Amino acid sequence: MSEQEVKDAPSAKETLGSAGTAVKEGVINSLKGIYEIETELLKLVRNTVSDTLKTTGSVAADAIKVAGEVLDGTIKATEETGMGARPERKERGQGDRDGGSPTLAGTS
């Protein structure tokens, strides 16, 4: 190596300084990338939980509605067939020997 080449060559301090800067920038970029990934994961989890709760609420509301409709239909069918389970009292002296005991609707 000539004397000129030695003078023009970067010093060890300059070389280490640029290497340190490159490492620092690499670490910073990696951390930014990790932060972006974490942010996207949190968004995904939040949306998934939200959608699940909305769907569950909708299913529960539909199930309650169906159960109510089934119960209404059962009551109406029971009333239409005369098998209602509501007790009716007869007044004394209307032909009952036991003095007006309750009877089932439609079975008197």
Side-chain angles (χ1 to χ4, degrees):
M1 257 189 181
S2 71
E3 217 176 289
Q4 185 62 29
E5 290 176 342
V6 172
K7 286 183 184 179
D8 291 340
S11 68
K13 186 176 184 179
E14 291 174 353
T15 304
L16 289 176
S18 63
T21 302
V23 169
K24 179 178 87 172
E25 289 175 3
V27 169
I28 290 172
N29 289 334
S30 294
L31 292 175
K32 285 180 182 178
I34 290 172
Y35 177 76
E36 290 172 2
I37 291 170
E38 287 176 344
T39 301
E40 291 302 316
L41 281 173
L42 288 175
K43 286 180 186 177
L44 176 65
V45 169
R46 184 182 310 127
N47 291 338
T48 301
V49 170
S50 176
D51 291 346
T52 300
L53 291 175
K54 286 177 187 175
T55 302
T56 302
S58 174
V59 169
D62 289 346
I64 291 170
K65 182 179 177 183
V66 167
E69 290 174 356
V70 167
L71 184 60
D72 287 344
T74 303
I75 291 171
K76 287 179 184 176
T78 302
E79 289 172 350
E80 288 176 9
T81 60
M83 299 297 293
R86 286 182 278 153
E88 295 178 2
R89 287 210 173 260
K90 292 186 178 182
E91 297 295 323
R92 286 185 186 260
Q94 290 186 351
D96 262 355
R97 293 180 188 220
D98 63 352
S101 65
T103 61
L104 293 180
T107 60
S108 53

